[in-house]
Amino acid sequence: MIEIDCNSNVPIYVQIADNVKEKVLDGTFKANEQLPSIRELAFTLGVNPNTVKKSYDILESQHLVQSNSTKGTYVTDKIDWVLEERANNSFLHILEEVNKLRKMGVSLETVLKKVESSWLM
């Protein structure tokens, strides 16, 4: 389910957080679904529980999960809000890049063609 690459330059706790985040965003983990316990996931992955805890803390700071020390860690019930915020942030970055392209003299037609071909991939 969650995979790590011990040979990667990316720290294991970041790999775990990224893996869980991807599964939340693609709908594998649903709103209000309980994630594996810290100890369970640590055992499964063969890592220290503190590593998993650090990953879950990152996800909680990003509002993707909610932790309760007695009940476990759950995907937020506000996932739609989180996705909307992420989309808005992405649009801000896109707009910045579009403005740079416009200032460089790239035509709107060219930008739209590139976006469309990327979208269809």
Side-chain angles (χ1 to χ4, degrees):
M1 182 180 272
I2 294 173
E3 300 172 7
I4 58 171
D5 178 1
C6 295
N7 297 319
S8 173
N9 291 332
V10 177
I12 292 173
Y13 73 92
V14 173
Q15 291 182 53
I16 295 169
D18 287 349
N19 234 281
V20 172
K21 183 188 317 180
E22 182 179 312
K23 292 184 182 319
V24 169
L25 297 178
D26 75 9
T28 302
F29 292 138
K30 309 275 187 237
N32 295 313
E33 183 176 343
Q34 186 172 12
L35 296 178
S37 73
I38 290 171
R39 290 187 188 277
E40 177 186 349
L41 187 55
F43 178 79
T44 301
L45 296 175
V47 300
N48 187 300
N50 291 330
T51 302
V52 176
K53 171 77 168 106
K54 195 170 184 178
S55 300
Y56 281 9
D57 287 346
I58 290 170
L59 295 166
E60 192 165 13
S61 74
Q62 296 174 347
H63 307 289
L64 291 171
V65 302
Q66 301 167 343
S67 294
N68 180 317
S69 59
T70 59
K71 295 182 182 178
T73 303
Y74 293 81
V75 175
T76 182
D77 59 354
K78 298 174 179 75
I79 194 67
D80 291 336
W81 175 83
V82 171
L83 293 174
E84 187 176 329
E85 284 299 306
R86 287 181 164 269
N88 287 337
N89 286 336
S90 293
F91 282 124
L92 288 175
H93 293 294
I94 290 169
L95 293 174
E96 288 173 8
E97 294 303 317
V98 166
N99 282 328
K100 289 178 189 175
L101 291 167
R102 184 177 44 80
K103 289 177 183 175
M104 292 179 349
V106 177
S107 72
L108 177 59
E109 182 181 343
T110 301
V111 172
L112 292 175
K113 282 182 184 177
K114 293 281 188 182
V115 170
E116 184 176 28
S117 68
S118 175
W119 188 270
L120 298 174
M121 292 177 114

